[in-house]
Amino acid sequence: MILPKRVLIKLSGGALADKSGFGFNPNRISHIVKEVLKVAEMGVEIGIVVGGGNIMRGSIGAHWGLERAEADGIGMLGTVVNALMLRAAIKSQTDRDVRVLSAVRVDEVVEPFLRARAMKHLKKGHIVIFGGGIGQPYVTTDYPSIQRAIETNCDLVLVAKEGVDGVYDSDPKSNPNAKLFKTLAYDDFLAKDLKVMDQTAILLARDHKMPIHIFNFLEEGAMERICQGETIGTYISPATKLALNGV
């Protein structure tokens, strides 16, 4: 594994949430900020895509009879709210510049996403948080995390999962004998119909040979260690094949 110079961190909205899965948990957010800054202090350039599940979920839209496009519009705005919250939290702990760029135009509070602008910020060492998904419905934030990583020439996508160590061959919550994959090929992920990420995102990563590292964001120092070359969780890349952890 080549040590990355620029990474894209994918966070779920749930990573920011309280015990109910909604709103904001200050302890969770503080943990995220600390882990992000550890990577930044290594000299690694950082982009972040954050989801909106702590504000809007599909089940809520279904309860109120919302059409998918309308519910997704609310979710996209939720990701902008989360991006602003994360920016404020990071800025409270560092003098490093943090920028929010959104695919949904909210010019009064964030910058619109432009690739050239994002590249300029990253090259200056700014942390860049991407909100608004790709500005279109019917897409989860898994897809824009890969798309933004490709657009900004990232070396690696770090997919932070809540309380899950990586990709398993079955659901570890219901199967105590579930086995963790140490490495996977893109086609293995697709053939096994694994649900950790959207298959559309995996297809995009495969087509553009974008490596992905899926790990437990609650594990202290995990992102820092991954950026130092350790394999924590599950690593997917053009060069990897299916291998179980410990085998």
Side-chain angles (χ1 to χ4, degrees):
M1 174 180 172
I2 299 173
L3 299 185
K5 296 180 180 179
R6 180 180 295 166
V7 299
L8 190 294
I9 300 170
K10 166 60 171 65
L11 294 168
S12 67
L16 282 64
D18 62 21
K19 291 182 180 179
S20 71
F22 292 94
F24 299 102
N25 182 318
N27 292 330
R28 285 262 185 103
I29 294 173
S30 294
H31 171 74
I32 291 168
V33 170
K34 183 172 72 171
E35 296 300 297
V36 168
L37 289 178
K38 284 180 182 178
V39 175
E41 287 162 7
M42 294 172 61
V44 177
E45 296 172 0
I46 297 173
I48 301 173
V49 168
V50 61
N54 59 320
I55 295 174
M56 181 63 181
R57 291 181 182 171
S59 58
I60 297 175
H63 175 80
W64 290 103
L66 300 181
E67 293 185 5
R68 172 69 185 273
E70 186 175 12
D72 282 359
I74 298 170
M76 284 186 282
L77 291 174
T79 69
V80 177
V81 171
N82 283 342
L84 287 167
M85 176 62 76
L86 194 56
R87 177 190 183 275
I90 295 172
K91 282 298 297 176
S92 73
Q93 300 298 317
T94 182
D95 292 331
R96 187 183 298 270
D97 205 351
V98 184
R99 300 297 184 101
V100 176
L101 274 59
S102 174
V104 176
R105 295 296 294 263
V106 196
D107 294 357
E108 290 78 8
V109 289
V110 300
E111 299 175 64
F113 171 77
L114 294 170
R115 179 182 179 273
R117 180 176 292 173
M119 295 292 285
K120 182 178 179 180
H121 289 324
L122 289 166
K123 288 176 181 178
K124 287 183 176 180
H126 301 167
I127 295 172
V128 179
I129 308 174
F130 300 103
I134 59 170
Q136 298 292 331
Y138 307 108
V139 178
T140 73
T141 47
D142 284 344
Y143 190 91
S145 67
I146 302 298
Q147 180 171 327
R148 295 294 183 244
I150 294 166
E151 288 178 305
T152 56
N153 300 332
C154 288
D155 301 309
L156 177 66
V157 177
L158 296 171
V159 179
K161 291 295 178 180
E162 179 188 351
V164 180
D165 293 334
V167 182
Y168 286 80
D169 62 353
S170 59
D171 186 352
K173 295 180 180 178
S174 59
N175 179 13
N177 297 315
K179 294 180 175 61
L180 175 68
F181 292 110
K182 182 177 181 180
T183 56
L184 280 169
Y186 302 108
D187 288 340
D188 292 326
F189 191 107
L190 296 166
K192 292 180 178 296
D193 195 24
L194 299 169
K195 304 297 184 181
V196 179
M197 288 185 72
D198 280 355
Q199 293 211 348
T200 54
I202 296 297
L203 283 166
L204 184 63
R206 183 190 67 181
D207 291 347
H208 293 270
K209 298 180 173 57
M210 176 58 65
I212 303 169
H213 215 129
I214 302 172
F215 68 102
N216 182 357
F217 89 92
L218 295 177
E219 184 178 340
E220 189 169 345
M223 287 196 293
E224 181 183 24
R225 290 162 57 199
I226 289 170
C227 290
Q228 290 172 338
E230 290 189 42
T231 300
I232 299 170
T234 304
Y235 182 52
I236 307 168
S237 81
T240 48
K241 298 180 180 179
L242 189 154
L244 293 169
N245 193 43
V247 178

